[in-house]
Amino acid sequence: MANALTGTSFNLPGQKSLYKGKVRDVYNINDDYLIMVVSDRISAFDVVLPRGIPYKGQVLNQIASRFLDATADIVPNWKIDTPDPNVTVGHMAVPYKVEMVIRGYLTGHAWREYRSGKRDLCGVPMPEGLREHDRFPEPIITPATKAEEGHDEDISREEILDQGIVPEEEYIQLEDYTRRLFQRGTEIAAKMGLILVDTKYEFGKKDGRIILIDEIHTPDSSRYFYAGGYEERQAKGEQQKQLSKEFVRQWLIGNGFQGKAGQSVPEIPDEFVEEVSDRYIELYERITGEKFIQADTSDIEQRILQNINDFISK
């Protein structure tokens, strides 16, 4: 099995701080730009699992880089360059404290809420009579607070404005960007025989303007169905074939873990690690239409450090 990158602890020229997220190590260089190293860590239910997934970070980084380029005409973004398969360098911005989640289908968290009897999600009504994986009449925006630790929480548009988390004029712009980005992602996915089911976007401000930050349309931030056979599976009440992290969550649920107090993460066998890695690579190839080129993993950290230092030296 290939090596997995589970973390970095570099000391880079001009480095002011290092922030370790669930799956990313983010280096602040002179309060000017960020170097984001996308590791092979994987999280589910807001818990980082004990084993890394080979090539996952490369998949996430390269998909995000492509979609940042493919949507730059809609909203400016933070990306400057990708000096390594696992690294993106970008502009530093002040992030908004909400994630803009948009859902085209009744799936995942929305379905779990709906199944429990709720017909309102983040202040947005959901029609009666829907089944799991049904398409909403129109995509719905269901924001979430951006938690420093623990679970992100659903929040309504009204609560965001009432609490002054985002000024109204700027929030209206975030909603517009969110809908347009989702439409573009939907169109790109459709060309590849996929359905973009739901996703999230994060935004920040730099020099007084809103920019798109972090990843976009990756299997960690998004859910995809196979378009072929979608209608037939819905008609038969069958589960949809999907490319996303949901199958990891389902495996964990099946092994008695949902991130709740007192629960322990089950031991993850080699076979499942390889299956997850294969799924990430499959999504890359499906969404890009290109063969995935596996980067050299013999000494990942040294490779990444060398490429970052080469970039900084320029």
Side-chain angles (χ1 to χ4, degrees):
M1 190 186 301
N3 293 322
L5 178 71
T6 55
T8 62
S9 296
F10 301 141
N11 186 12
L12 303 174
Q15 178 178 326
K16 299 198 72 172
S17 64
L18 166 59
Y19 168 75
K20 285 184 174 281
K22 290 169 191 164
V23 300
R24 293 169 185 76
D25 298 342
V26 184
Y27 295 84
N28 172 354
I29 307 300
N30 292 323
D31 287 333
D32 185 32
Y33 59 95
L34 299 176
I35 295 176
M36 179 184 288
V37 180
V38 188
S39 77
D40 295 325
R41 298 191 297 269
I42 186 168
S43 70
F45 300 112
D46 291 318
V47 174
V48 176
L49 304 186
R51 297 192 63 180
I53 306 298
Y55 304 113
K56 171 182 176 286
Q58 181 185 346
V59 166
L60 295 188
N61 192 59
Q62 292 185 330
I63 290 177
S65 179
R66 278 175 163 269
F67 274 102
L68 288 170
D69 292 344
T71 57
D73 61 316
I74 295 173
V75 53
N77 63 63
W78 76 292
K79 177 186 165 183
I80 297 172
D81 199 2
T82 50
D84 180 272
N86 287 67
V87 178
T88 295
V89 180
H91 298 286
M92 193 169 181
V94 179
Y96 287 98
K97 294 182 180 179
V98 293
E99 293 180 344
M100 299 299 287
V101 181
I102 183 166
R103 306 175 186 275
Y105 294 74
L106 182 62
T107 299
H109 171 63
W111 167 247
R112 289 188 283 271
E113 294 289 287
Y114 194 90
R115 184 177 57 190
S116 74
K118 295 182 181 177
R119 293 296 180 267
D120 177 291
L121 187 62
C122 301
V124 181
M126 296 184 288
E128 287 286 351
L130 296 182
R131 298 174 303 162
E132 184 178 15
H133 307 316
D134 275 351
R135 185 178 180 178
F136 287 119
E138 295 288 338
I140 63 173
I141 293 177
T142 58
T145 57
K146 185 64 179 161
E148 292 293 330
E149 293 182 0
H151 296 275
D152 297 337
E153 299 287 344
D154 290 341
I155 189 169
S156 70
R157 183 185 200 271
E158 289 69 29
E159 289 170 323
I160 290 169
L161 299 181
D162 288 347
Q163 295 174 28
I165 298 173
V166 182
E168 183 172 11
E169 184 177 340
E170 292 174 27
Y171 188 78
I172 290 170
Q173 184 65 73
L174 295 185
E175 286 187 323
D176 180 61
Y177 282 149
T178 296
R179 293 190 187 282
R180 291 165 62 192
L181 289 167
F182 188 68
Q183 179 61 30
R184 177 68 56 81
T186 297
E187 292 165 359
I188 294 172
K191 292 176 183 176
M192 298 299 176
L194 296 172
I195 295 169
L196 179 58
V197 177
D198 53 34
T199 192
K200 70 178 180 69
Y201 303 111
E202 296 187 42
F203 297 92
K205 283 190 84 173
K206 177 177 173 58
D207 299 329
R209 69 172 184 168
I210 297 173
I211 65 171
L212 179 65
I213 61 174
D214 202 44
E215 64 180 350
I216 172 178
H217 296 166
T218 74
D220 267 23
S221 65
S222 313
R223 194 187 322 263
Y224 290 90
F225 289 158
Y226 287 89
Y230 167 79
E231 297 291 352
E232 292 84 348
R233 285 188 286 272
Q234 279 303 96
K236 294 177 182 176
E238 297 175 354
Q239 280 297 308
Q240 288 298 328
K241 187 179 179 186
Q242 57 178 291
L243 282 170
S244 73
K245 212 167 57 170
E246 182 66 19
F247 79 98
V248 177
R249 298 186 192 98
Q250 292 302 322
W251 184 88
L252 290 167
I253 290 171
N255 284 273
F257 181 77
Q258 295 186 60
K260 295 178 180 177
Q263 293 182 338
S264 299
V265 179
E267 187 173 334
I268 301 173
D270 288 349
E271 297 77 25
F272 188 67
V273 170
E274 289 192 36
E275 181 185 353
V276 177
S277 181
D278 289 345
R279 291 251 196 148
Y280 272 90
I281 290 171
E282 181 186 1
L283 178 65
Y284 175 91
E285 294 181 342
R286 285 301 304 257
I287 198 64
T288 67
E290 295 182 1
K291 179 75 176 171
F292 180 74
I293 307 300
Q294 297 178 352
D296 181 7
T297 64
S298 57
D299 192 343
I300 311 177
E301 288 190 58
Q302 183 55 41
R303 183 202 82 206
I304 290 173
L305 180 59
Q306 183 64 54
N307 285 333
I308 290 174
N309 282 329
D310 288 348
F311 173 84
I312 291 175
S313 68
K314 294 175 185 177

